[in-house]
Amino acid sequence: MEVIRAKKAPIQCSLHNPDNDHVIRQTHNLSKLLLSHSQDLLKEYLKCQGDPFNQSDFRPSPSSRPDLPRPLPEMWHSLTDEERLLDNFTAHFLLSHHLRHTQEEQKELNPNATVLHALLETSLNRTCHLLANIRAVMDNMGVAPPEIDAPLPGNITIFEQKVKGYWVCEGSRDWLERTERDFASLVDKLPNF
């Protein structure tokens, strides 16, 4: 049986250089690190919220999701590199703000949950670093960032804050899966030296 291998087209970039290659690889590695961290964050978040959050069958209504775009894995193959970068930039921009709101809310709701606070702080810092890397790749590829309004915290009940925090942690994990996949695709297109 003959195996035919398709050659991947190199990234089309007027500024294609080793520095940009490094940032793409670094961003891919950071997304993998954040993805593994996001599982710990979600587990700890659920554990700290009490009933019904810490029950294995807990699943809140999707209507209570914050304004985060969905990763849409079914459309992934039809997207261009530029569209993937824009999607990732938008999602992680919004997630960075939602993570900050969740962190502030959890300090008030669960002041003794120091492990959760540390995980949220680490996740927020790394998400901001990831966002900066995505922006650098976009700049090097000539992709202008979209204009996005930062989400504002709403006046919601304690239970709604906990539900929103759940969706933020889950959305972060889902987007990190997508980001890792998108940057793995970009890394595959880089020249091997």
Side-chain angles (χ1 to χ4, degrees):
M1 182 171 143
E2 183 178 326
V3 177
I4 301 173
R5 298 189 194 273
K7 187 174 181 181
K8 297 185 179 177
I11 295 173
Q12 298 301 312
C13 173
S14 60
L15 299 173
H16 184 71
N17 61 51
D19 290 337
N20 196 41
D21 296 356
H22 175 74
V23 175
I24 290 171
R25 285 186 173 89
Q26 183 183 49
T27 305
H28 180 239
N29 290 335
L30 180 58
S31 68
K32 289 193 292 189
L33 174 67
L34 273 164
L35 180 56
S36 67
H37 173 82
S38 69
Q39 299 289 22
D40 296 336
L41 173 61
L42 184 57
K43 285 178 190 173
E44 185 67 20
Y45 183 86
L46 290 172
K47 183 179 93 174
C48 291
Q49 304 314 306
D51 284 338
F53 294 87
N54 56 8
Q55 296 176 5
S56 61
D57 61 346
F58 174 73
R59 188 74 179 164
S61 166
S63 65
S64 59
R65 283 181 207 264
D67 58 342
L68 288 172
R70 304 285 296 155
L72 302 174
E74 65 276 2
M75 294 179 52
W76 186 81
H77 289 289
S78 65
L79 298 175
T80 65
D81 293 334
E82 291 79 9
E83 289 169 327
R84 291 176 188 168
L85 286 168
L86 288 167
D87 284 353
N88 277 281
F89 182 86
T90 300
H92 292 293
F93 175 85
L94 293 170
L95 279 165
S96 68
H97 289 279
H98 284 299
L99 281 166
R100 185 175 318 283
H101 298 158
T102 299
Q103 179 187 40
E104 291 166 359
E105 291 165 353
Q106 287 302 307
K107 284 181 179 176
E108 188 174 312
L109 296 173
N110 291 303
N112 298 324
T114 56
V115 172
L116 176 60
H117 299 165
L119 287 170
L120 283 165
E121 180 71 24
T122 299
S123 184
L124 176 59
N125 289 337
R126 289 179 178 166
T127 298
C128 290
H129 187 82
L130 179 67
L131 185 61
N133 280 15
I134 293 169
R135 174 65 191 263
V137 172
M138 290 171 63
D139 288 347
N140 287 336
M141 292 177 66
V143 178
E147 290 187 25
I148 310 166
D149 291 329
L152 300 173
N155 188 12
I156 56 178
T157 67
I158 290 173
F159 184 78
E160 290 169 330
Q161 287 176 10
K162 290 180 177 187
V163 170
K164 183 183 75 109
Y166 165 80
W167 286 121
V168 169
C169 293
E170 184 178 81
S172 177
R173 182 201 60 203
D174 293 348
W175 265 103
L176 287 164
E177 287 176 357
R178 162 79 187 271
T179 301
E180 190 281 326
R181 187 177 181 181
D182 289 345
F183 275 84
S185 174
L186 286 175
V187 166
D188 286 347
K189 295 176 185 179
L190 294 175
N192 293 323
F193 291 99

